[in-house]
Amino acid sequence: MAKGRAMYCVQCEQSNKGGCAAKVGSCGKSATVADLQDVLLRLMQGVSVYADRAARVGGYDRRVNAFTPHAWFTTLTNVNFDDNRFVALIAEALRMRNSARDLATRMGADLTDLPEPATWQPGTTASELAAAAPFAAIQRFMDRDGPSIVGLRNLILYGLKGTAAYSEHARVLGTEEQAVSAEFHRISAFLASDPTDMDALLREALALGALNLKVMELLDAANTGRFGHPEVTMVRMTPKAGKALLVSGHDMGDLETILLQTEGTGVNVYTHGELLPANAYPRLKRFPHLAGNYGGAWQDQQKDFAAFPGAIVMTSNCLINPNLKGYADRLFTAGPVGWNGIAHVSDHDFSPAITRALALPGFLENAVERTIPIGFARNTVMGVADTLLGMIRKGDVRNLFLIGGCDGARPGRNYFHDLAVHTPQDSLILTLGCGKFRFNGEDLGTINGVPRVLDVGQCNDAYSAIRIATAVADALGCGVNDLPLHYAISWFEQKATAVLLTMLHLGLRRIHLGPTLPQFLTPDVLNVLIEKFDIRPTGDAQQDLEAMLQAA
């Protein structure tokens, strides 16, 4: 597949200039996998056409609704690189489309004027899928519709990917809602018609932002309902002597399962990357062999994983080529994650990874202990709201900053570190996502005993930050945009796209976004966002900070 033509991908900051790569993307994705992902997503839009028509007359298929977020999740940046898995997912998508069509037919739904993805037959063999790939390519209608329209469609496409990922995180924890699935299918079906009306595209982008807010609320309820509300915790960032297993990604359900399956084995379990906040949840903290966090953000994983003397489990994004640093034989993938030749865990049975951890040396001695504070999610911060509001009213806290998001490896990301360390001493920093690793090791001091850096959690926990901001604004009798609250959002991939759309849906203004803006946002589309929503591309950290403080 993709032989003789360039791969086109603009979904994340790792995209090469122009989005094209002759053989492989910067993330390690092959042109074959890129084609298969495009085919899968085109088919999933067809699934949504029928699911949407059925939902309009009261019909829904639980299997279709469960398969949908998982399938979309596999196509995110740095999740699944296994072409065999995508061939199987495409075959399943065709079966799901048939199921959704049959349901819509039985329900008497209107099945006239079906868009192409509802009837398209790409085949199932490698040669058939190779021939079909150009019909699923995101740039297919570039000449007909122009880059701005295609860019807006991609804004929705990538936002749907991010929302699907959050939805899948909630679903695997047992939390899902029929209304959420119906709205996801409605927006996906809208996209299936290849719309060209710019105003309609912007409306649906904001509708997706509203849907993502609901999904993040469900995920918050799923996490806190199962694991309790995060507590302020001093988490260990250095290893202990003993056998070791490292869990990376975002999936706290998998982490809990691993902790249960390693009880009594002598294996210490460490979090990595976006799982750092898991150390603050009461139900997870009760495991004495949850030894703390090891390493930093996802882009450091090749260094971190190579140095880690145990087994590693990758539960979700973001996976980097494991074959370059000599740890492929002790890496395991789970859930939506995949890489050709890497062992994949099925049915939540992590015994192969545990057996591998027991066979490896682990850490031979305790490292010097170093800890950082985490656990400042909405329940914690709102539980001391009177203290926080008192500090604001007295002038002890004059500014609030939200600095975080999805980090990356390209130059320019020191912006977020430089901004954080230069914020005035009378300010608090809310942070979430892996962007926090840029500065969470810095000692930025306290205000009246409260750490200036408040770790709200994963990128999944953007809902917590939104709830904190709205609660403070309500208590002070003003709107969120009237608060001395400044946003510096690290953009990287599709979850960040979904969160950005949620922020725009909520009417938040003065969002500094960067360091590199998405290639699918053309200058015309970017100008629309700047004019309508006051998006501000990041520039010089010191100059941006001065502008933020002047606007307060």
Side-chain angles (χ1 to χ4, degrees):
M1 297 179 72
K3 292 180 180 178
R5 67 184 187 88
M7 183 177 81
Y8 184 88
C9 183
V10 292
Q11 71 178 14
C12 78
E13 191 198 47
Q14 291 181 127
S15 299
N16 292 334
K17 187 175 182 180
C20 298
K23 293 182 179 180
V24 66
S26 300
C27 62
K29 179 171 62 177
S30 70
T32 296
V33 168
D35 281 348
L36 290 170
Q37 289 181 351
D38 288 347
V39 170
L40 176 61
L41 289 179
R42 191 71 169 167
L43 281 174
M44 291 309 300
Q45 291 168 41
V47 172
S48 288
V49 168
Y50 291 114
D52 174 53
R53 302 285 178 100
R56 294 182 196 179
V57 291
Y60 72 97
D61 187 322
R62 195 176 299 276
R63 292 178 309 141
V64 169
N65 291 347
F67 177 73
T68 295
H70 175 80
W72 280 79
F73 195 174
T74 62
T75 69
L76 264 73
T77 300
N78 290 31
V79 174
N80 199 316
F81 301 79
D82 189 335
D83 53 346
N84 294 321
R85 293 264 298 279
F86 281 108
V87 170
L89 283 165
I90 287 168
E92 184 66 11
L94 285 166
R95 288 190 287 271
M96 289 296 168
R97 192 177 68 176
N98 288 339
S99 294
R101 182 195 60 207
D102 292 346
L103 173 64
T105 301
R106 291 196 306 272
M107 296 295 296
D110 178 9
L111 297 183
T112 60
D113 298 321
L114 294 171
E116 179 186 84
T119 58
W120 181 50
Q121 296 295 337
T124 56
T125 67
S127 59
E128 289 172 334
L129 293 172
F135 295 92
I138 60 172
Q139 77 278 21
R140 174 182 169 194
F141 297 115
M142 189 74 77
D143 291 340
R144 187 191 76 181
D145 299 335
S148 293
I149 292 299
V150 172
L152 278 174
R153 289 205 292 256
N154 286 338
L155 177 64
I156 296 174
L157 179 73
Y158 301 145
L160 283 167
K161 287 190 180 193
T163 299
Y166 292 136
S167 183
E168 178 68 357
H169 285 311
R171 189 192 69 81
V172 297
L173 290 174
T175 301
E176 52 189 323
E177 282 191 6
Q178 181 182 338
V180 166
S181 295
E183 178 68 353
F184 188 96
H185 288 309
R186 187 193 69 76
I187 298 173
S188 175
F190 166 80
L191 199 61
S193 66
D194 302 310
T196 58
D197 185 289
M198 182 172 287
D199 290 335
L201 286 162
L202 284 170
R203 283 196 303 271
E204 291 301 330
L206 294 181
L208 179 55
L211 174 63
N212 189 62
L213 178 62
K214 177 60 178 177
V215 169
M216 289 194 298
E217 181 183 13
L218 290 177
L219 179 56
D220 178 89
N223 283 332
T224 58
R226 180 159 167 178
F227 306 115
H229 284 278
E231 303 167 337
V232 176
T233 302
M234 297 301 295
V235 60
R236 184 178 176 123
M237 301 293 286
T238 50
K240 301 177 180 178
K243 302 291 185 178
L245 195 157
L246 187 64
V247 188
S248 191
H250 302 73
D251 198 307
M252 289 193 286
D254 278 348
L255 175 61
E256 182 188 38
T257 300
I258 289 168
L259 288 166
L260 287 167
Q261 293 179 9
T262 50
E263 278 189 306
T265 64
V267 174
N268 287 326
V269 176
Y270 297 84
T271 59
H272 178 269
E274 285 267 40
L275 273 174
L276 165 65
N279 291 274
Y281 284 84
R283 184 163 171 172
L284 300 176
K285 287 170 59 178
R286 67 188 174 92
F287 292 97
H289 60 299
L290 178 58
N293 190 79
Y294 178 89
W298 69 270
Q299 70 271 12
D300 296 328
Q301 73 180 244
Q302 288 179 319
K303 170 178 64 70
D304 292 341
F305 290 3
F308 188 78
I312 306 155
V313 176
M314 198 79 196
T315 67
S316 68
N317 52 319
C318 301
L319 176 64
I320 304 177
N321 188 343
N323 294 314
L324 301 178
K325 299 292 183 179
Y327 54 82
D329 64 334
R330 50 191 175 89
L331 176 69
F332 299 80
T333 61
V337 191
W339 191 285
N340 290 83
I342 298 298
H344 187 73
V345 171
S346 300
D347 301 322
H348 303 286
D349 177 9
F350 293 95
S351 57
I354 297 167
T355 299
R356 191 75 179 102
L358 289 167
L360 291 163
F363 292 100
L364 301 180
E365 59 184 9
N366 292 326
V368 175
E369 184 173 356
R370 181 174 65 85
T371 62
I372 63 171
I374 63 170
F376 295 93
R378 62 178 177 85
N379 202 56
T380 298
V381 175
M382 292 166 68
V384 294
D386 289 343
T387 300
L388 175 59
L389 292 170
M391 291 194 297
I392 293 174
R393 289 187 175 112
K394 288 191 298 183
D396 295 334
V397 173
R398 296 185 180 276
N399 288 275
L400 298 169
F401 291 85
L402 177 59
I403 305 176
C406 297
D407 200 12
R410 288 197 167 182
R413 291 191 172 271
N414 281 339
Y415 171 94
F416 300 96
H417 168 272
D418 297 343
L419 184 70
V421 299
H422 287 104
T423 53
Q425 290 299 306
D426 58 2
S427 60
L428 293 176
I429 299 171
L430 302 175
T431 188
L432 49 79
C434 56
K436 63 172 155 266
F437 284 101
R438 290 283 170 180
F439 55 85
N440 67 350
E442 300 280 2
D443 182 4
L444 299 186
T446 63
I447 302 176
N448 298 341
V450 177
R452 287 191 54 232
V453 177
L454 304 179
D455 187 345
V456 177
Q458 298 179 331
C459 67
N460 302 8
D461 295 311
Y463 176 75
S464 252
I466 290 167
R467 285 287 303 275
I468 291 169
T470 54
V472 171
D474 289 345
L476 294 176
C478 65
V480 173
N481 288 321
D482 298 318
L483 290 172
L485 174 59
H486 317 287
Y487 309 97
I489 305 301
S490 174
W491 179 86
F492 178 77
E493 47 86 69
Q494 298 86 70
K495 284 183 175 179
T497 301
V499 173
L500 176 63
L501 292 177
T502 293
M503 297 175 77
L504 299 184
H505 155 71
L506 291 170
L508 303 184
R509 297 293 188 266
R510 304 188 305 275
I511 300 170
H512 287 75
L513 184 68
T516 304
L517 293 180
Q519 291 186 30
F520 60 83
L521 290 183
T522 66
D524 287 345
V525 174
L526 180 59
N527 285 336
V528 169
L529 295 180
I530 290 173
E531 292 172 8
K532 284 183 174 289
F533 307 108
D534 201 10
I535 294 287
R536 302 181 179 189
T538 56
D540 175 79
Q542 191 63 46
Q543 292 177 2
D544 285 355
L545 178 59
E546 290 173 2
M548 292 176 188
L549 295 175
Q550 289 173 4

